[in-house]
Amino acid sequence: MKQDIRHTDNFLKGLTTLTGLSYKKVQRYVKENNPFNILEHPHIMEPNEKQIEKIGLLNEFIASYNILKIYESNEKVVLNSSTLSGQYFLALLGGMKDKERFMVAFLDSGNNIIEAKTMSEGSIGQTAVYPREILKYALACDCNAMILAHNHPGGSKNFSPEDKALTQRIVDIFHPLEIKILDHIIVSGASYSSMAETGILPHQCKGTANYEEIALGSITVEEKRNGFKHTHSR
């Protein structure tokens, strides 16, 4: 217990030094709350503009560190399974609980990552996805395949109807171009769900290519009414 208190105190000192938050205010908060909430939901500390910018940079640093640890043993990151894909995006999106972010990993013929790019970022409940932007980057890097990913800040690991519809829309665009959609990963806190692993990933076109903006919501009305139903967890 003493060791936990010491590590928590060291964490808070580092956090306040790097962000400029008041140590006393942070210390009062963590007496009854999870200290990680300060990074995951920074507005609870009522930070000023400079402090919120520093918290954002610190979160980016932590995400980059987690990814570099993956790179440590391999010169390239290969996403050739749902498990590897889930772990990869979990490192990038697991700590983001105050906004929804949609990402795409563009892969070469060996499923090595050419680039993993944030395509859009929105509020805690919704973000807008622009298929034309995804197409532009896919053609620019001459990728052979893609893996889609986004986080659900609300905590649900369910694939919403919007998630499924978005995935089908992307398949409709890229299947004729012979660019495969290998998976769609949803990150929720410390766990993830894989559309490929659950067997619901579409592989064929169902309609013509539609490049209109897609509104992607993280929590459905039904989930709010019935509670969250987990499809998969790690």
Side-chain angles (χ1 to χ4, degrees), residues 53-182:
E53 182 182 355
K54 289 182 177 180
I55 293 170
L57 288 172
L58 182 56
N59 275 323
E60 292 293 337
F61 171 80
I62 293 170
S64 297
Y65 171 81
N66 289 332
I67 292 301
L68 287 173
K69 290 294 288 182
I70 296 174
Y71 273 98
E72 187 177 19
S73 57
N74 299 287
E75 187 177 345
K76 293 183 178 181
V77 174
V78 183
L79 300 184
N80 56 10
S81 72
S82 296
T83 299
L84 290 174
S85 300
Q87 291 173 346
Y88 180 81
F89 283 108
L90 189 60
L92 285 173
L93 299 171
M96 183 167 292
K97 296 184 180 179
D98 65 330
K99 62 184 70 174
E100 187 165 355
R101 176 181 287 181
F102 180 82
M103 301 187 69
V104 178
F106 300 95
L107 311 178
D108 64 17
S109 58
N111 291 342
N112 301 296
I113 292 180
I114 300 170
E115 182 179 2
K117 187 170 182 65
T118 298
M119 301 307 301
S120 65
E121 193 171 283
S123 66
I124 193 169
Q126 191 176 64
T127 188
V129 177
Y130 302 93
R132 288 185 186 277
E133 289 296 305
I134 301 174
L135 176 63
K136 182 175 75 173
Y137 281 100
L139 296 177
C141 67
D142 194 26
C143 72
N144 289 79
M146 298 188 301
I147 295 176
L148 316 177
H150 73 282
N151 63 311
H152 276 185
S156 171
K157 288 188 283 290
N158 265 0
F159 295 101
S160 70
E162 291 83 1
D163 297 335
K164 296 173 184 177
L166 177 144
T167 308
Q168 184 63 63
R169 282 269 303 273
I170 299 300
V171 170
D172 289 344
I173 292 170
F174 287 97
H175 184 267
L177 302 177
E178 297 184 351
I179 297 175
K180 297 178 181 179
I181 308 302
L182 300 180

Side-chain angles (χ1 to χ4, degrees), residues 162-212:
E162 291 83 1
D163 297 335
K164 296 173 184 177
L166 177 144
T167 308
Q168 184 63 63
R169 282 269 303 273
I170 299 300
V171 170
D172 289 344
I173 292 170
F174 287 97
H175 184 267
L177 302 177
E178 297 184 351
I179 297 175
K180 297 178 181 179
I181 308 302
L182 300 180
D183 209 341
H184 189 163
I185 301 293
I186 288 177
V187 172
S188 176
S191 60
Y192 66 87
S193 297
S194 159
M195 197 170 278
E197 196 169 79
T198 53
I200 61 173
L201 181 73
H203 296 287
Q204 301 294 328
C205 296
K206 281 192 175 180
T208 57
N210 183 346
Y211 295 95
E212 293 180 6

